[in-house]
């Protein structure tokens, strides 16, 4: 029951009157060797995601060239809050990915088409609602996290512009998830490469030519995301298969909505609460910073050092997350095709690949730490200077989170396998208890007693390892149940045939 695309030529995308045509080979996820196909799927996806992180990193690199000393710290301060909002869309787009992939695996073209248009409609509605709420709560949330004075003003300027572009960000995420569900990771690579270069160019123009700071990079990101959304939708509108987008078909199909909601809501809630726990950690980092330089300081070195490493860490995380996306899609299609034994091989390939990717990515970043940090204007300086405090903060986070980074891969792949198996709620509950609740308790007890950066960062690898172990055990348990159920059905059918 492999997914067949018939060797068609797929129209890739058009900008203006020009059209780029690409040839796309069949990628049957339910038949044949697995490891090579997983690599074929995740490598373009990984490059796409890395380019996105690279272009996002240029926001902070370019803004460090502005006259605002706290520009890097301001953007870093907003990341946990903005991720809380963005993770909701990513969660629901994961639901769309699973539902579309399953229906394609089962050769249900009509159902896949309904899921596609329901997902896109959902993205517009949810984005509009989130944009309105974001405008209202940004100031009190950032202030509650500990941002004050000039740092708060800069952070608010960045978030307000970010929320203006939120509908386009949501549309891009959903369109990409639909393309990935059908095995197409090349189109997002092409589109995001193009708009990413646009983002970099706009960053440089707004900051260097127009003397803007956080507002300049925020507008550059919004414009680039709007372009991505429009081009990706145009690409889907030219599709010849079940994922073809049509304005006339936009609407909510109840069955598709429930299915996407069942998988996407737990994923979205999990992402949002993860970000909420990171907001608590960001607040704790601000406490350490204020203990050193005082509240309302013009320069916040701990915030800046932490923000620089968190931004660099995005390269390692998105590399591992690309394997997570592959785990979801391959598991979903094979579950849709009722090939449960094959899911075992998917698990083995994805766990091994993700661990190798995590070690390679975090190790490379660690070896190149000094030149990379210098891009954010974080470098060794005179002893006891604020610049040295920023550098020491960066090194501290690297030591406690990058060296044991392979533990993160176990948590990511465990989540992906469980979601592909249709156990999104189980994945969410385990992840929230093992990571979010654990971190909240850790910050409330260990950090409160010790009060050091080391005590904050240590919570990450411990939570990754514990959560990853439990997710693996649940994945094995649920897969065994599916295999046993299938055998029981086959035995009943055989008995009826006799």
């Amino acid at each position: 029951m492999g997914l067949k695309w018939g060797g068609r030529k797929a129209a890739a995308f058009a900008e203006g009157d020009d059209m780029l045509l690409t040839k796309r080979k069949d990628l049957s996820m339910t038949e044949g060797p697995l490891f090579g196909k997983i690599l074929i799927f995740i490598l373009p996806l990984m490059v796409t995601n890395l380019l996105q992180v690279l272009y996002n990193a240029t926001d902070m690199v370019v803004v460090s060239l502005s006259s605002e000393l706290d520009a890097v710290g301001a953007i870093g301060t907003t990341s946990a809050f903005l991720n809380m909002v963005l993770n909701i869309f990513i969660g629901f787009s994961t639901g769309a990915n699973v539902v579309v992939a399953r229906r394609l695996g089962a050769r249900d073209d009509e159902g896949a088409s309904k899921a596609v248009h329901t997902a896109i409609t959902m993205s517009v509605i949810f984005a509009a609602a989130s944009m309105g709420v974001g405008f209202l709560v940004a100031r009190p949330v950032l202030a509650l996290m500990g941002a004050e004075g000039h740092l708060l003003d800069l952070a608010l300027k960045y978030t307000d512009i970010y929320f203006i572009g939120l509908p386009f960000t949501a549309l891009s995420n959903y369109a990409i998830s639909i393309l990935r569900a059908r095995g197409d990771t090349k189109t997002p690579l092409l589109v995001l490469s193009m708009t990413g270069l646009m983002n970099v160019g706009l960053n440089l123009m707004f900051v260097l030519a127009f003397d803007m700071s956080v507002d300049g990079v925020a507008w550059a990101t919004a414009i680039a995301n709007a372009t991505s959304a429009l081009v990706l939708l145009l690409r889907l509108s030219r599709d010849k298969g079940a994922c073809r987008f049509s304005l006339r078909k936009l609407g909510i199909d109840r069955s598709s909505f429930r299915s996407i909601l069942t998988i996407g809501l737990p994923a979205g809630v999990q992402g949002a609460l993860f970000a909420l726990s990171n907001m608590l950690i960001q607040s704790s980092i601000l406490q350490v910073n204020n203990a050193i330089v005082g509240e309302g300081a013009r320069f916040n070195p701990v915030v800046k050092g932490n923000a620089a490493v968190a931004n660099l860490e995005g390269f390692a995380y998105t590399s591992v997350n690309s394997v997570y996306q592959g785990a979801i899609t391959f598991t979903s299609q094979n579950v849709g095709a009722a090939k449960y034994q094959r899911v075992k091989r998917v698990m083995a390939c994805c766990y091994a690949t993700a661990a190798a990717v995590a070690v390679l990515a975090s190790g490379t970043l660690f070896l190149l730490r000094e030149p990379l940090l210098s891009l954010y204007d974080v470098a060794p300086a005179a002893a006891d200077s604020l610049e040295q405090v920023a550098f020491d903060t960066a090194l501290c986070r690297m030591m406690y989170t990058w060296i044991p980074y392979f533990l993160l891969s176990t948590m990511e792949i465990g989540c992906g396998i469980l979601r592909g198996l249709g156990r999104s709620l189980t994945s969410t509950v385990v992840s929230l208890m093992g990571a979010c609740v654990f971190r909240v308790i850790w910050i409330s007890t260990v950090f409160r007693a010790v009060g050091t950066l080391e005590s904050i960062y240590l919570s990450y690898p411990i939570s990754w390892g514990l959560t990853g172990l439990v997710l693996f055990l649940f994945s094995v348990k649920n897969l065994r149940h599916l295999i046993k159920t299938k055998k029981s059905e086959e035995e009943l059918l055989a008995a009826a045939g006799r």
Side-chain angles (χ1 to χ4, degrees):
M1 295 183 66
L3 174 61
K4 301 294 185 183
W5 288 315
R8 298 187 302 268
K9 283 186 177 181
F13 60 88
E15 184 181 15
D17 295 327
D18 297 323
M19 182 182 296
L20 174 66
L21 295 178
T22 62
K23 291 182 179 180
R24 182 166 51 83
K25 294 182 178 180
D26 293 352
L27 182 63
S28 177
M29 301 182 189
T30 59
E31 297 173 348
L34 262 175
F35 185 70
K37 291 182 178 181
I38 289 174
L39 288 182
I40 290 171
F41 181 87
I42 68 171
L43 286 177
L45 175 59
M46 189 178 297
V47 173
T48 303
N49 291 343
L50 286 172
L51 284 174
Q52 279 190 290
V53 175
L54 177 63
Y55 297 140
N56 290 335
T58 62
D59 286 2
M60 297 183 72
V61 172
V62 173
V63 85
S64 70
L65 303 175
S66 72
S67 57
E68 291 287 357
L69 293 176
D70 251 346
V72 172
I75 295 178
T77 299
T78 66
S79 61
F81 171 53
L82 293 179
N83 283 339
M84 182 176 68
V85 178
L86 185 59
N87 283 345
I88 295 174
F89 299 118
I90 293 175
F92 280 110
S93 68
T94 298
N97 181 304
V98 171
V99 174
V100 173
R102 277 190 180 179
R103 292 180 180 181
L104 290 173
R107 295 183 177 181
D108 180 8
D109 287 355
E110 182 180 354
S113 178
K114 289 179 180 179
V116 165
H117 291 89
T118 299
I120 293 174
T121 305
M122 289 170 63
S123 74
V124 175
I125 295 173
F126 291 168
S130 298
M131 181 171 61
V133 173
F135 284 131
L136 293 175
V137 305
R139 176 177 286 275
V141 168
L142 291 172
L144 186 63
M145 289 171 60
E148 295 182 347
H150 189 60
L151 184 69
L152 177 59
D153 293 337
L154 289 174
L156 281 173
K157 185 183 292 187
Y158 184 82
T159 55
D160 284 346
I161 299 170
Y162 182 91
F163 282 121
I164 292 174
L166 193 60
F168 298 109
T169 303
L171 274 172
S172 292
N173 273 285
Y174 277 74
I176 289 171
S177 73
I178 291 165
L179 288 167
R180 289 172 181 168
R182 55 183 294 212
D184 183 2
T185 56
K186 293 181 180 179
T187 299
L189 172 59
L190 293 171
V191 175
L192 295 178
S193 296
M194 175 189 70
T195 55
L197 289 172
M198 174 193 295
N199 190 8
V200 174
L202 291 173
N203 278 338
L204 293 169
M205 182 180 72
F206 289 148
V207 173
L208 299 182
F210 296 165
D211 197 27
M212 301 169 75
S213 64
V214 295
D215 51 342
V217 296
W219 279 119
T221 299
I223 294 169
N225 283 338
T227 306
S228 294
L230 294 175
V231 174
L232 287 166
L233 286 179
L234 181 57
R235 168 65 185 88
L236 285 172
S237 71
R238 295 173 183 272
D239 190 83
K240 302 299 182 182
C243 294
R244 181 184 179 90
F245 168 70
S246 173
L247 283 172
R248 291 177 297 178
K249 292 184 179 181
L250 281 178
I252 299 292
D253 172 66
R254 290 184 180 180
S255 175
S256 299
F257 180 79
R258 284 195 299 268
S259 297
I260 294 172
L261 202 65
T262 299
I263 297 169
L265 181 59
V269 170
Q270 176 182 325
L273 291 180
F274 261 99
L276 188 63
S277 69
N278 287 333
M279 286 169 62
L280 176 62
I281 289 175
Q282 181 66 37
S283 177
S284 302
I285 290 168
L286 280 165
Q287 290 179 39
V288 175
N289 178 86
N290 293 339
I292 295 173
V293 298
E295 296 182 3
R298 190 73 180 181
F299 177 49
N300 297 274
V302 176
V303 175
K304 183 175 183 178
N306 180 77
V309 176
N311 197 250
L312 285 173
E313 196 173 295
F315 290 96
Y317 175 74
T318 198
S319 299
V320 176
N321 188 257
S322 300
V323 190
Y324 157 83
Q325 294 290 340
I328 289 177
T329 305
F330 274 79
T331 303
S332 298
Q333 284 219 12
N334 281 284
V335 168
K339 294 190 174 182
Y340 305 128
Q341 289 288 351
R342 189 174 171 85
V343 176
K344 286 184 178 181
R345 294 164 56 200
V346 172
M347 287 180 64
C349 290
C350 288
Y351 269 107
T353 303
V357 168
V359 171
L360 180 62
S362 61
T364 302
L365 288 171
F366 188 77
L367 289 174
L368 299 175
R369 58 191 179 277
E370 290 202 16
L372 290 174
L373 286 173
S374 67
L375 295 173
Y376 301 83
D377 193 29
V378 176
D384 299 326
S385 65
L386 294 182
E387 289 76 13
Q388 183 62 36
V389 171
F391 185 73
D392 290 341
T393 298
L395 287 183
C396 181
R397 175 159 181 158
M398 289 178 181
M399 293 294 294
Y400 280 86
T401 60
W402 287 7
I403 292 178
Y405 209 70
F406 69 93
L407 292 172
L408 174 73
S409 68
T410 63
M411 185 174 75
E412 288 290 303
I413 300 305
C415 282
I417 296 295
L418 270 179
R419 290 200 172 116
L421 291 170
R423 302 296 182 180
S424 188
L425 181 59
T426 302
S427 172
T428 297
V429 172
V430 172
S431 298
L432 291 181
M433 293 300 296
C436 297
V437 175
F438 173 84
R439 289 177 191 171
V440 170
I441 294 173
W442 182 278
I443 294 297
S444 301
T445 55
V446 177
F447 171 70
R448 181 169 293 182
V450 180
T452 63
L453 284 173
E454 291 84 353
S455 65
I456 297 174
Y457 296 139
L458 188 59
S459 66
Y460 284 103
I462 295 176
S463 63
W464 295 335
L466 291 174
T467 308
L469 176 61
V470 177
L471 287 170
F472 172 76
L473 295 175
F474 269 99
S475 297
V476 171
K477 177 183 177 181
N478 281 278
L479 183 56
R480 285 177 178 172
H481 175 73
L482 286 174
I483 293 172
K484 182 178 180 181
T485 302
K486 181 185 178 183
K487 286 182 177 179
S488 298
E489 291 175 352
E490 290 175 345
E491 289 169 358
L492 287 172
L493 289 171
R498 289 196 298 268

